[in-house]
């Protein structure tokens, strides 16, 4: 069979936008970033961390975008977190010099890749089992690499992490006794605390997490092992994490974009970040007469935290009511006119992290015009 | 800031697997394809279409993989469907000569890309509004391209498509009167009918859809416009679509892999396709003592149709109970031992289409060994 590629190697998909274009000209579905709101979010979080004297290490799993990591580091972030070893690779390539893998790994292949990264940047990772310590030591010895290792403690999430201070101590001793590993301290992250709706619920969960971490620090200290760093916390609990006196470093990610789901939480004024990330979609059918069909569905957004909300036009009167693979159904909640065929509709995704993971680029805009295209270079890197 | 890429341009992420490797060596999370089950699924659907004298045009939105499209065409498929214009591009490049966009488009940029594709392959698309016809004619005139256009009729889905035969007739006349467009016939697809749990529910919905399509064919015929093709149907309703006497072409997609959600339906023996697609994951933490934490979460699977089920080991006794971004929580439903740290766990995704859209390659295996890596070349192409 003839392949057309060989006949016409130049034939490729056009970029979704060009700098200077009006926002209405962006091809859809596309991911839009309001650069002014994004920059205010970055400044606000860095300012809060600086004021508290706590290091900011933003979570790059939220954006997977080296251009954003560089903007965070330029404002004072000490580096970034990644959730997977492979996810770190494009950030190392982009020159981010200090990356924490805020997670455990359990296979020699992943340990070998991490050791290879550790020869190119300052890398750290978490453990919650002595077998992980041995595996990391073996990989680093083979690669002649040095790696910082954190003990993860379970502070309420019920996911990864050792259950008590004695287990943490044994692991810290194993790390300290490994010639290619350095004990970095504790990771104490309570993901479930981030998404509770009221401030009081989040305050209580964050306080318990911090107390549990503090007790473990004391136990290790009594055994002569210093926790140089206690890392954890997130966008939902940052006001409490910063004030805890326990965390020396915070790991928020979502503040950059502010998910639809997070946006429905109750916030204090200083912690309410702005929605900066939107999905641009287009009305592709109005034949029913009673609804508008958008070209953005399950392949253009994650719906695990609910369907997107409408940002423009008519956020009060229009509702995105159903998502199929490549279709979104919009209805009007009162007598408001539906957007017409070909109209652009902007959506706020319910959960930004897995939505980002669907796109190859972010279209940055300011004052209604496209300013930049940033590659989502770590998209799909979950290994 | 120094970029490491320039220091070491060879430093790249290793492939998740190499041909010849044992399945247990595949890096995770990865998408695995049981090639023997996959080939039986392809043979079975082609055999059923051939026996009914109906053309098979599989939906490529399910797999987004040119290697799979080529395997379908090699067995007798007349071409493939795509759901978006951009999605078709890698299939045109791979030499698929006949592609139907089973959807409407509504912007001049998309029409221009479609016209460019129509100079390289036989392309068709759907309309449900006269403005779409005019836009397509303009784009094809500008590109000196010829395009086949189908009128989509709403046969129960309540999404896109005209509502009655008179509207279909007016659009067919507009297409037939456009110098660069050819009227191809009708698209009559009822997505909602595919996923009803009982055969009887699907039979009733499919019969209504076919009856509605038949009435429209008669109306157009009376006006002197022949519907050369009536295209539609899917994996869930294929037994009824093939027997309807109305559809000349069917568009099933999911039969290739068989989703977890589809698998929970009631089927006749001939229509029960096999699960061929799995997510390989690894246990990364067992510190809790009561659950195993997998390295595959929301970024490794779509959960819109439910969480994945466990395929290996212990499908009866283990349950995947919660997904975070990069973690999956597994519990044992009775006294069964949890899989150990580093163990590989295979999952059946609830919804294959959007799960495929997260991966860059499919790892094909046979008899427990890796045989091939196929690029998911249309991943992310939703524009």
């Amino acid at each position: 069979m003839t392949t057309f590629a060989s006949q016409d190697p130049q034939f490729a998909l056009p970029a979704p936008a060009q700098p200077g274009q009006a926002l209405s000209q962006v091809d859809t579905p596309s991911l839009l970033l309001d650069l002014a709101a994004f920059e205010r979010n970055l400044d606000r979080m860095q300012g809060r961390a600086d004021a508290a004297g706590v290091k900011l290490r933003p979570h790059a799993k939220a954006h997977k975008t080296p251009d954003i990591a560089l903007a965070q580091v330029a404002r004072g972030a000490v580096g970034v977190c990644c959730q997977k070893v492979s996810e770190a690779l494009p950030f190392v390539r982009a020159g981010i010099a200090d990356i924490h893998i805020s997670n455990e790994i359990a296979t020699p292949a992943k340990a070998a890749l991490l050791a290879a990264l550790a020869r190119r940047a300052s890398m750290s990772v978490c453990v919650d089992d002595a077998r992980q310590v041995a595996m990391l030591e073996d990989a680093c010895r083979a690669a002649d690499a040095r790696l910082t290792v954190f003990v993860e403690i379970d502070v309420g999430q019920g996911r990864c992490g050792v259950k008590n201070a004695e287990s943490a101590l044994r692991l810290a001793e194993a790390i300290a006794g490994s010639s290619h590993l350095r004990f970095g301290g504790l990771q104490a992250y309570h993901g479930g605390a981030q998404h509770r709706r009221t401030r009081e619920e989040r305050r209580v969960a964050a306080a318990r997490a911090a107390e549990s971490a503090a007790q473990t620090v004391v136990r290790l200290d009594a055994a002569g092992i210093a926790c140089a760093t206690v890392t954890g916390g997130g966008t939902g609990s940052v006001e409490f994490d910063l004030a805890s006196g326990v965390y020396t470093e915070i790991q928020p990610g979502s503040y950059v974009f502010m998910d639809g789901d997070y946006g429905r939480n109750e916030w204090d004024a200083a912690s309410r970040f702005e929605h900066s990330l939107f999905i641009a979609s287009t009305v592709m059918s109005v034949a029913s007469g009673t609804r508008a069909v958008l070209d953005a569905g399950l392949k253009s957004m994650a719906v695990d935290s609910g369907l997107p909300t409408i940002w423009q036009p008519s956020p009060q009167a229009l509702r995105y009511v159903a998502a199929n693979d490549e279709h979104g159904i919009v209805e009007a909640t009162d007598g408001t006119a539906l957007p017409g065929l070909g109209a652009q509709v902007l959506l706020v995704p319910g959960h930004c992290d897995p939505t980002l993971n669907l796109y190859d680029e972010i279209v940055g805009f300011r004052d209604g015009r496209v300013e930049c295209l940033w590659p989502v270079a770590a998209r799909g890197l979950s290994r």
Side-chain angles (χ1 to χ4, degrees), chain A:
Chain A
M1 189 177 279
T2 308
T3 67
F4 291 88
S6 60
Q7 296 172 8
D8 187 357
Q10 302 306 312
F11 187 56
L13 188 65
Q18 299 295 335
Q21 275 183 329
L23 216 51
S24 59
Q25 294 177 275
V26 173
D27 194 20
T28 63
S30 283
L31 211 49
L32 301 184
L33 182 64
D34 177 339
L35 292 166
F38 158 79
E39 290 164 2
R40 286 192 295 269
N41 286 344
L42 261 55
D43 289 338
R44 173 173 289 208
M45 186 61 89
Q46 188 65 55
R48 296 200 69 176
D50 289 348
V54 171
K55 291 176 186 164
L56 174 61
R57 182 184 292 277
H59 216 305
K61 83 180 179 75
H63 56 66
K64 288 180 168 282
T65 302
D67 291 282
I68 294 180
L70 292 167
Q72 291 171 319
V73 168
R75 281 167 173 78
V78 295
V80 298
C81 298
C82 289
Q83 195 73 324
K84 297 294 187 86
V85 177
S86 66
E87 190 175 63
L89 201 144
F91 295 98
V92 171
R93 278 182 178 267
I96 301 296
D98 191 327
I99 300 177
H100 173 56
I101 310 294
S102 56
N103 210 351
E104 288 74 17
I105 61 172
T107 65
K110 292 187 198 299
L113 180 61
L114 179 56
L117 286 167
R119 289 183 57 90
R120 292 164 171 82
S122 295
M123 300 295 302
S124 58
V125 70
C126 294
V127 297
D128 64 5
D129 190 298
R131 290 169 287 182
Q132 295 157 348
V133 178
M135 187 187 74
L136 293 168
E137 170 65 13
D138 288 348
C140 288
R141 182 183 294 116
D144 191 22
R146 296 294 182 283
L147 183 67
T148 299
V149 180
F150 285 76
V151 174
E152 181 164 28
I153 59 175
D154 180 5
V155 291
Q157 168 93 329
R159 192 172 67 183
C160 302
V162 298
K163 288 194 286 188
N164 54 56
E166 294 309 312
S167 301
L169 174 59
R170 284 194 295 276
L171 282 183
E173 289 172 339
I175 296 162
S178 302
S179 58
H180 294 75
L181 308 181
R182 187 181 78 83
F183 176 61
L186 302 178
Q187 175 168 294
Y189 177 69
H190 187 349
Q194 306 303 315
H195 291 276
R196 295 185 182 163
R197 284 284 179 246
T198 71
R199 276 181 76 196
E200 180 58 16
E201 289 173 290
R202 297 200 300 280
R203 187 193 65 74
V204 169
R208 285 193 189 137
E211 174 59 22
S212 178
Q215 289 171 358
T216 309
V217 170
V218 168
R219 179 68 189 93
L220 267 61
D221 201 55
I225 297 185
C227 292
T229 298
V230 179
T231 186
T235 298
S237 61
V238 70
E239 59 174 318
F240 311 114
D241 303 327
L242 288 173
S244 69
V246 177
Y247 291 98
T248 67
E249 179 180 283
I250 55 168
Q251 305 181 351
S254 300
Y255 74 98
V256 171
F257 302 132
M258 205 58 178
D259 308 64
D261 184 61
Y262 256 136
R264 290 185 276 277
N265 280 358
E266 176 201 346
W267 297 96
D268 72 310
S271 298
R272 181 175 275 289
F273 295 88
E274 299 175 54
H275 291 306
S276 67
L277 191 76
F278 307 97
I279 297 163
S281 66
T282 300
V283 176
M284 47 177 274
S285 173
V286 293
S288 75
T290 56
R291 59 193 80 87
V293 182
L294 302 181
D295 63 355
L298 296 174
K299 290 181 180 169
S300 302
M301 64 191 67
V303 298
D304 59 272
S305 299
L307 294 171
T309 53
I310 308 268
W311 186 256
Q312 284 177 8
S314 310
Q316 305 307 320
L318 297 179
R319 281 179 57 220
Y320 185 111
V321 297
N324 301 146
D325 276 15
E326 297 279 20
H327 299 87
I329 311 297
V330 169
E331 294 178 354
T333 54
D334 55 22
T336 304
L338 289 163
L341 188 68
Q344 196 182 72
V345 175
L346 301 192
L347 308 170
V348 178
H351 191 181
C352 290
D353 288 29
T355 296
L356 251 291
N357 195 40
L358 298 167
Y359 289 87
D360 290 314
E361 63 268 297
I362 293 173
V363 178
F365 71 94
R366 200 186 303 271
D367 299 331
R369 299 242 155 227
V370 174
E371 183 170 302
C372 58
L373 269 75
W374 286 341
V376 186
R379 189 218 62 74
L381 299 184
S382 283
R383 287 196 277 135

